[in-house]
Every structure is written in C-alpha cells, then in structure tokens.
Amino acid sequence: IEYAVHPGFGGSLGAHKTLIKPGNWDRIRSDGKRRTVSLFQKDVPAAIRQRYLEGHNWEETDFYQNARDSLMNNKRYASRITSISDLYDRCEIIDKLYRSIKKEGYRSQKGLRELFPARKEVQVAIGRDGEILLDEGQHRLAISKILSLRSIPVRIMVRHEEWQEIRCEYANTGLLPNYVNKNHPDLSNLE
C-alpha cells in the first residue's frame, strides 16, 4: 500500500459495511476533491518515518509542528488532538505502538481482543485496477512499513465499482483482464 485515499471514507460508513463506489476517488487529483496521496506525504506517516528511521524527536517532525501551530491559533488539529497535552499523549501512544509492534510483531485487533475488532483494523479501499489504498490506520500501516513487515491484516471498506465488476466476472468465469494478477488478495476467496 503506497497511497491513501484523502479524505478517507471510514467516517461515513457503519461498523460492518463495505461500499461499492463509482467515480474518480481512486485517481490522483489536485482539484480539492477526494484524491489519493502518497502515504508518507501525510503528516503522521511522515513523522513516523522521521522519528524511527531518521532519529528525530517528535518536536522536530512536521506533524508535531503543524499540530502545535494549529493549537496555538486556537484551532483543533485532529479529532483526538485538541490541546498540547493531547499532542504529547498522542506521541506517547505512537511510541508505545511502535515498541509493541517491533517487539511482539503485528497483532490483529481480534488477537488484541479489541471490542469491534473489524472496525479497528487497518481499513483499505480498492481502486478500479485493484490498487489497494489506505483509508484508515495510518499509524499501524506506517509502522509496519518502517519495520518491513511483509503483510498485515486489513479490512476492505470500499471497492471501486469497476473493480467489483472484475471480481464478479472472475467469480463467474475465472477470467481476468491481463493487467490483474490472479494472486490479488481480494480475489483469493472467489476461486
């Protein structure tokens, strides 16, 4: 997963729903509408890279500085960061998550015995060509990439309408367009 849908769909869906969605949301756009962005261009994943690969303190990351500046201007930075104290707490939570994944490996939310584990798993959207895009879970995904983990469990939140048509065709005929790898993880349960 190299790109993320921005803004994500997660907040607009219920706990156990998957949406089939047409449109250009899976394309890179610059007109201010939903678009894809490189994962490590987002504040938090970039800060995770700066912190754990480059050895920076949180205070030196763009994420921290942007959040602090927003808070100093009496603006909320994110739903969970409404004060400088929240910002420190958030950084500590990310440090704890990083140490846990590094020491114990990535554990699914079900394995962690979370309430409503499917809702808390890394959530993805699948574009028209089968590209897997991050929707929610940027902390865990970025840490997994930094630690070079080969795979992690994810929950599919949204499929592009054209990708869903490819899945249906494959389920019915076993045929795929030449550009689609038959080992795509979203096709494995259709054989």
Side-chain angles (χ1 to χ4, degrees):
I1 302 172
E2 300 298 325
Y3 290 90
V5 177
H6 182 77
F9 292 103
S12 63
L13 297 175
H16 303 288
K17 295 180 180 173
T18 300
L19 184 66
I20 307 301
K21 189 125 175 94
N24 288 323
W25 56 264
D26 61 334
R27 298 291 192 215
I28 296 174
R29 297 173 56 108
S30 59
D31 61 3
K33 295 182 180 177
R34 188 175 308 277
R35 63 190 189 281
T36 61
V37 295
S38 173
L39 175 65
F40 286 103
Q41 285 180 336
K42 295 179 65 132
D43 270 5
V44 173
I48 288 171
R49 176 182 276 163
Q50 291 170 329
R51 176 116 172 110
Y52 304 116
L53 284 184
E54 300 169 13
H56 293 283
N57 293 321
W58 280 114
E59 294 80 3
E60 298 171 311
T61 66
D62 293 338
F63 156 69
Y64 186 94
Q65 292 173 14
N66 291 340
R68 184 199 60 216
D69 291 349
S70 290
L71 294 169
M72 297 297 241
N73 290 316
N74 295 319
K75 295 179 184 172
R76 171 181 276 181
Y77 179 75
S79 63
R80 295 180 189 153
I81 302 175
T82 59
S83 68
I84 295 293
S85 176
D86 290 344
L87 179 56
Y88 284 120
D89 291 347
R90 196 77 195 132
C91 293
E92 283 183 31
I93 289 168
I94 296 169
D95 281 340
K96 182 179 176 183
L97 179 63
Y98 175 81
R99 287 190 304 270
S100 171
I101 293 173
K102 185 175 182 179
K103 181 180 178 184
E104 301 169 24
Y106 191 98
R107 294 171 51 202
S108 72
Q109 298 301 296
K110 187 176 182 179
L112 292 170
R113 298 182 184 193
E114 287 285 338
L115 289 174
F116 310 109
R119 186 175 194 162
K120 295 181 182 178
E121 210 60 82
V122 170
Q123 298 176 16
V124 300
I126 302 182
R128 72 189 73 216
D129 298 327
E131 181 178 20
I132 302 172
L133 306 163
L134 175 68
D135 186 81
E136 289 190 8
Q138 63 182 348
H139 304 83
R140 287 169 283 150
L141 179 61
I143 290 169
S144 298
K145 286 182 154 298
I146 295 293
L147 295 173
S148 300
L149 301 182
R150 291 182 47 94
S151 66
I152 62 171
V154 300
R155 175 174 171 241
I156 298 170
M157 290 288 294
V158 177
R159 287 185 181 99
H160 194 281
E161 180 180 63
E162 291 178 33
W163 175 251
Q164 183 61 30
E165 290 170 5
I166 290 170
R167 292 179 81 242
C168 289
E169 182 70 19
Y170 182 62
N172 291 328
T173 67
L175 299 174
L176 288 170
N178 290 336
Y179 62 88
V180 176
N181 181 339
K182 72 175 186 167
N183 296 318
H184 190 287
D186 196 35
L187 300 173
S188 64
N189 62 342
L190 299 177
E191 293 179 343

